[in-house]
Amino acid sequence: MFKTASDPRDGTHPARGKAAEPYGRRRYVLLCLALAMLERADAQTTLGRLAEEVLAAAAEPELDFVFTLDSRAERADLVAVVRMLLDWGVLRRVAGDEEAYLSATGDVLYDVRRPVLAALLTGTRGPSTITADSFEERLAELIAEPVADTDDLRNQALRRGLTRRLLEDPVIYYADLDEAERAYLASQRHAVVRRIEEATGLVAEVRAEGIAMVDPDDELTDVRMPEQRTDGHVTLLVAEHLATRGEVPLEELRAFVQEAARAHASFWRRGVTEPGAEDGLLSTALAKLTALRLVRLEEGSAVGLPAIARYALDEPVIKGQ
């Protein structure tokens, strides 16, 4: 089983830079171009040379992509991509520092680690064999796995797909599985879950609506809840609000966050009571809750999913009254 997204259309867990800012289109394109250029590179390369090669590749008209390196922001995007490749082990820094490149005072020398680079593309087909035109069709062809033609192979495919989802997704809801997946998981749940627990240390939480693999050591989690600081508190309050109400219009949630900001202004960061601040606070909270499969966004509303019930609070009971 190779690592790939369980749902290629899921955009709730983007790559993130050092400051936790999510990657946008430019950084994703730069990442792909940098990997392509490194495939052709020598055993060692410099950041300046890689930048020149990426710049030349970005000029191809069919990419519909503008990248110039004229601004510090564009250079910072390239540096963020390079630092991710360093974290992944694709590159090993030999000399220099990326900050020197950003300030145009120096360059950086890297070793290119080809075994790691070769393992990054985890599709079942080579990109050159794909003939589809649209992005969605090309992506589907890239990650499509062979159709199993025997019962044993079909069961292997089901087990592999369910294991991938249990590892990658915060929660699997039975309602989101097809009939074959539900039937296989019902009969093989214990064996599938036990293998994952033994291999990773994750702990299964099984409920009537689905399964979550809990990370007790907080080593595999990219979106945490609860968290400290303003955004963490807002997210917790929004989760509690949704836990007992099901579907809530976004306008109602904005008003709720606005009221919460006034109530907690002395504890939250500055500016939370400024006009329009509630939009950013709510957007951050809903992004976290959606990524954790606690909320589903629909047109004009947010819908609490079953796992959000854990954040519901009962009315306090005062003893003696």
Side-chain angles (χ1 to χ4, degrees), residues 264-285:
H264 301 285
S266 58
F267 304 101
W268 290 2
R269 63 173 176 263
R270 292 180 180 178
V272 293
T273 57
E274 296 292 326
E278 68 276 6
D279 292 332
L281 293 171
L282 179 59
S283 176
T284 299

Side-chain angles (χ1 to χ4, degrees), residues 14 35 116 146 165 192 212 244 274:
L35 290 170
V116 181
R165 292 184 67 169
V192 172
T244 56
E274 296 292 326

Side-chain angles (χ1 to χ4, degrees), residues 297-309:
L297 294 181
E298 297 183 354
E299 187 173 356
S301 64
V303 180
L305 298 176
I308 205 171

Side-chain angles (χ1 to χ4, degrees), residues 157-170:
L158 287 168
R159 181 169 62 250
R160 184 168 58 246
L162 288 167
T163 300
R164 181 177 289 145
R165 292 184 67 169
L166 285 165
L167 284 170
E168 292 292 325
D169 297 345

Side-chain angles (χ1 to χ4, degrees), residues 12-321:
T12 60
H13 294 269
R16 295 183 181 275
K18 288 291 186 182
E21 74 281 6
Y23 272 35
R25 179 177 183 267
R26 183 163 68 188
R27 285 193 182 182
Y28 278 121
V29 174
L30 288 177
L31 175 61
C32 293
L33 291 177
L35 290 170
M37 296 306 102
L38 289 172
E39 277 286 347
R40 309 172 190 173
D42 296 330
Q44 288 189 324
T45 190
T46 65
L47 181 49
R49 185 181 308 138
L50 179 61
E52 292 174 0
E53 292 171 345
V54 167
L55 195 63
E60 295 293 331
E62 59 268 22
L63 279 182
D64 188 25
F65 179 64
V66 178
F67 184 67
T68 65
L69 285 176
D70 291 339
S71 69
R72 182 181 176 87
E74 289 177 307
R75 294 195 298 274
D77 280 338
L78 181 61
V79 166
V81 165
V82 167
R83 285 174 172 166
M84 175 168 282
L85 295 177
L86 286 166
D87 290 341
W88 288 352
V90 177
L91 297 175
R92 180 188 289 121
R93 190 185 295 109
V94 177
D97 184 80
E98 290 80 25
E99 288 298 326
Y101 174 80
L102 275 177
S103 58
T105 60
D107 208 342
V108 196
L109 178 65
Y110 304 106
D111 285 335
V112 180
R113 302 179 66 191
R114 295 201 175 280
V116 181
L117 178 62
L120 282 183
L121 185 61
T122 58
T124 56
R125 297 177 54 180
S128 61
T129 67
I130 295 173
T131 58
D133 294 325
S134 72
F135 172 78
E136 290 76 13
E137 292 173 331
R138 292 177 65 82
L139 181 60
E141 287 189 13
L142 180 65
I143 64 173
E145 298 185 23
V147 177
D149 56 2
T150 68
D151 288 342
D152 186 50
L153 289 176
R154 278 191 289 272
N155 286 335
Q156 287 183 27
L158 287 168
R159 181 169 62 250
R160 184 168 58 246
L162 288 167
T163 300
R164 181 177 289 145
R165 292 184 67 169
L166 285 165
L167 284 170
E168 292 292 325
D169 297 345
V171 182
I172 283 185
Y173 294 111
Y174 298 132
D176 295 334
L177 303 178
D178 62 33
E179 185 177 349
E181 290 171 326
R182 283 195 297 271
Y184 185 87
L185 191 56
S187 63
Q188 301 295 321
R189 184 189 69 198
H190 178 73
V192 172
V193 165
R194 177 174 51 81
R195 290 191 187 99
I196 295 175
E197 289 179 329
E198 292 175 351
T200 65
L202 298 177
V203 178
E205 182 175 318
V206 181
R207 293 288 184 263
E209 300 86 359
I211 304 174
M213 300 303 300
V214 180
D215 180 14
D217 298 323
D218 195 26
E219 295 178 343
L220 305 179
T221 303
D222 61 336
V223 181
R224 290 168 175 81
M225 184 176 174
E227 279 188 316
Q228 297 180 347
R229 304 182 185 277
T230 300
D231 289 332
H233 192 191
V234 174
T235 303
L236 198 59
L237 291 175
V238 172
E240 178 191 343
H241 189 76
L242 286 168
T244 56
R245 289 168 175 81
E247 182 173 354
V248 178
L250 294 180
E251 283 303 319
E252 179 183 324
L253 284 177
R254 288 190 185 93
F256 170 78
V257 170
Q258 195 174 41
E259 181 180 347
R262 288 194 293 266
H264 301 285
S266 58
F267 304 101
W268 290 2
R269 63 173 176 263
R270 292 180 180 178
V272 293
T273 57
E274 296 292 326
E278 68 276 6
D279 292 332
L281 293 171
L282 179 59
S283 176
T284 299
L286 291 178
K288 286 178 175 289
L289 295 173
T290 303
L292 291 169
R293 303 295 191 274
L294 298 175
V295 166
R296 181 179 69 251
L297 294 181
E298 297 183 354
E299 187 173 356
S301 64
V303 180
L305 298 176
I308 205 171
R310 68 179 56 213
Y311 297 100
L313 296 179
D314 290 334
E315 291 295 325
V317 176
I318 301 176
K319 293 184 178 180
Q321 293 187 3

